[in-house]
Short mmCIF file of all heavy atoms in Angstrom, two decimals:
data_model
loop_
_atom_site.label_atom_id
_atom_site.label_comp_id
_atom_site.label_asym_id
_atom_site.label_seq_id
_atom_site.Cartn_x
_atom_site.Cartn_y
_atom_site.Cartn_z
N ASP A 53 -58.25 186.82 6.02
CA ASP A 53 -58.20 187.89 5.03
C ASP A 53 -59.62 188.07 4.49
O ASP A 53 -60.16 187.18 3.82
CB ASP A 53 -57.23 187.48 3.90
CG ASP A 53 -57.08 188.58 2.87
OD1 ASP A 53 -57.88 189.54 2.88
OD2 ASP A 53 -56.15 188.48 2.04
N LEU A 54 -60.21 189.22 4.82
CA LEU A 54 -61.61 189.44 4.42
C LEU A 54 -61.75 189.60 2.90
O LEU A 54 -62.85 189.55 2.37
CB LEU A 54 -62.17 190.67 5.13
CG LEU A 54 -62.51 190.45 6.61
CD1 LEU A 54 -62.87 191.76 7.29
CD2 LEU A 54 -63.63 189.44 6.79
N ARG A 55 -60.62 189.81 2.21
CA ARG A 55 -60.70 189.91 0.74
C ARG A 55 -60.60 188.53 0.10
O ARG A 55 -60.87 188.37 -1.08
CB ARG A 55 -59.60 190.83 0.22
CG ARG A 55 -59.87 192.30 0.52
CD ARG A 55 -58.67 193.13 0.24
NE ARG A 55 -57.54 192.68 1.03
CZ ARG A 55 -56.28 193.00 0.80
NH1 ARG A 55 -55.97 193.76 -0.22
NH2 ARG A 55 -55.31 192.55 1.58
N GLU A 56 -60.17 187.56 0.90
CA GLU A 56 -60.10 186.18 0.40
C GLU A 56 -60.54 185.26 1.51
O GLU A 56 -59.71 184.61 2.17
CB GLU A 56 -58.67 185.84 -0.02
CG GLU A 56 -58.42 186.04 -1.50
CD GLU A 56 -57.01 185.63 -1.89
OE1 GLU A 56 -56.75 184.42 -1.91
OE2 GLU A 56 -56.22 186.55 -2.14
N LYS A 57 -61.86 185.22 1.71
CA LYS A 57 -62.37 184.48 2.87
C LYS A 57 -62.21 182.98 2.63
O LYS A 57 -62.65 182.47 1.59
CB LYS A 57 -63.84 184.83 3.08
CG LYS A 57 -64.05 186.30 3.38
CD LYS A 57 -65.51 186.69 3.35
CE LYS A 57 -65.65 188.19 3.43
NZ LYS A 57 -66.99 188.70 3.13
N PRO A 58 -61.60 182.29 3.59
CA PRO A 58 -61.45 180.85 3.41
C PRO A 58 -62.79 180.12 3.47
O PRO A 58 -63.75 180.60 4.11
CB PRO A 58 -60.55 180.43 4.57
CG PRO A 58 -60.45 181.59 5.49
CD PRO A 58 -61.00 182.80 4.82
N ASP A 59 -62.85 178.96 2.84
CA ASP A 59 -64.11 178.20 2.80
C ASP A 59 -64.61 177.84 4.19
O ASP A 59 -65.80 177.90 4.47
CB ASP A 59 -63.91 176.91 1.98
CG ASP A 59 -63.74 177.25 0.50
OD1 ASP A 59 -64.11 178.38 0.11
OD2 ASP A 59 -63.21 176.40 -0.24
N TRP A 60 -63.65 177.44 5.07
CA TRP A 60 -64.09 177.05 6.42
C TRP A 60 -64.80 178.20 7.13
O TRP A 60 -65.74 178.01 7.90
CB TRP A 60 -62.92 176.53 7.27
CG TRP A 60 -61.86 177.56 7.58
CD1 TRP A 60 -60.69 177.73 6.93
CD2 TRP A 60 -61.88 178.57 8.61
NE1 TRP A 60 -59.97 178.78 7.47
CE2 TRP A 60 -60.69 179.31 8.51
CE3 TRP A 60 -62.80 178.93 9.60
CZ2 TRP A 60 -60.38 180.39 9.35
CZ3 TRP A 60 -62.49 179.99 10.44
CH2 TRP A 60 -61.31 180.71 10.32
N PHE A 61 -64.35 179.45 6.81
CA PHE A 61 -64.97 180.62 7.44
C PHE A 61 -66.37 180.85 6.87
O PHE A 61 -67.33 181.10 7.61
CB PHE A 61 -64.07 181.85 7.22
CG PHE A 61 -64.72 183.14 7.64
CD1 PHE A 61 -64.88 183.44 8.99
CD2 PHE A 61 -65.21 184.04 6.69
CE1 PHE A 61 -65.50 184.61 9.38
CE2 PHE A 61 -65.83 185.21 7.09
CZ PHE A 61 -65.98 185.50 8.44
N LEU A 62 -66.49 180.73 5.55
CA LEU A 62 -67.81 180.95 4.93
C LEU A 62 -68.83 179.91 5.39
O LEU A 62 -70.02 180.18 5.45
CB LEU A 62 -67.67 180.94 3.39
CG LEU A 62 -66.87 182.13 2.86
CD1 LEU A 62 -66.56 181.97 1.38
CD2 LEU A 62 -67.63 183.45 3.11
N GLU A 63 -68.32 178.76 5.80
CA GLU A 63 -69.24 177.72 6.30
C GLU A 63 -69.81 178.07 7.67
O GLU A 63 -70.92 177.68 8.01
CB GLU A 63 -68.51 176.38 6.40
CG GLU A 63 -68.60 175.60 5.10
CD GLU A 63 -67.61 174.45 5.07
OE1 GLU A 63 -67.36 173.85 6.14
OE2 GLU A 63 -67.08 174.18 3.98
N ILE A 64 -69.06 178.84 8.46
CA ILE A 64 -69.54 179.14 9.82
C ILE A 64 -70.09 180.57 9.95
O ILE A 64 -70.67 180.92 10.97
CB ILE A 64 -68.43 178.92 10.89
CG1 ILE A 64 -67.22 179.83 10.64
CG2 ILE A 64 -68.02 177.46 10.94
CD1 ILE A 64 -66.17 179.77 11.75
N SER A 65 -69.88 181.40 8.93
CA SER A 65 -70.34 182.79 9.01
C SER A 65 -71.35 183.05 7.88
O SER A 65 -70.97 183.35 6.76
CB SER A 65 -69.12 183.73 8.87
OG SER A 65 -69.56 185.06 8.89
N PRO A 66 -72.62 182.93 8.19
CA PRO A 66 -73.65 183.00 7.13
C PRO A 66 -73.59 184.29 6.30
O PRO A 66 -73.90 184.26 5.12
CB PRO A 66 -74.97 182.94 7.90
CG PRO A 66 -74.63 182.37 9.22
CD PRO A 66 -73.20 182.70 9.51
N HIS A 67 -73.19 185.41 6.92
CA HIS A 67 -73.12 186.67 6.16
C HIS A 67 -71.70 186.96 5.68
O HIS A 67 -71.43 188.02 5.12
CB HIS A 67 -73.60 187.84 7.02
CG HIS A 67 -74.95 187.61 7.64
ND1 HIS A 67 -76.05 187.20 6.91
CD2 HIS A 67 -75.38 187.72 8.92
CE1 HIS A 67 -77.08 187.06 7.73
NE2 HIS A 67 -76.70 187.36 8.96
N GLY A 68 -70.79 186.03 5.96
CA GLY A 68 -69.40 186.21 5.53
C GLY A 68 -68.70 187.33 6.28
O GLY A 68 -67.75 187.93 5.78
N LYS A 69 -69.18 187.62 7.50
CA LYS A 69 -68.59 188.73 8.26
C LYS A 69 -67.95 188.24 9.54
O LYS A 69 -68.36 187.22 10.10
CB LYS A 69 -69.68 189.75 8.61
CG LYS A 69 -70.21 190.52 7.41
CD LYS A 69 -71.26 191.51 7.85
CE LYS A 69 -71.96 192.15 6.67
NZ LYS A 69 -71.20 193.19 6.03
N VAL A 70 -66.95 189.01 10.00
CA VAL A 70 -66.39 188.79 11.33
C VAL A 70 -67.09 189.77 12.28
O VAL A 70 -67.56 190.82 11.81
CB VAL A 70 -64.86 189.02 11.34
CG1 VAL A 70 -64.17 187.96 10.54
CG2 VAL A 70 -64.48 190.42 10.84
N PRO A 71 -67.17 189.48 13.56
CA PRO A 71 -66.58 188.33 14.24
C PRO A 71 -67.48 187.10 14.23
O PRO A 71 -68.70 187.20 14.08
CB PRO A 71 -66.44 188.85 15.68
CG PRO A 71 -67.62 189.75 15.86
CD PRO A 71 -67.82 190.40 14.50
N VAL A 72 -66.80 185.95 14.42
CA VAL A 72 -67.50 184.70 14.71
C VAL A 72 -66.86 184.17 15.99
O VAL A 72 -65.65 184.24 16.14
CB VAL A 72 -67.32 183.67 13.56
CG1 VAL A 72 -67.84 182.30 13.98
CG2 VAL A 72 -68.02 184.14 12.30
#
Side-chain angles (χ1 to χ4, degrees):
D53 183 347
L54 285 172
R55 287 169 301 164
E56 265 183 72
K57 298 170 189 168
D59 290 342
W60 65 262
F61 171 73
L62 293 171
E63 271 166 34
I64 61 173
S65 177
H67 308 309
K69 290 181 189 282
V70 292
V72 171

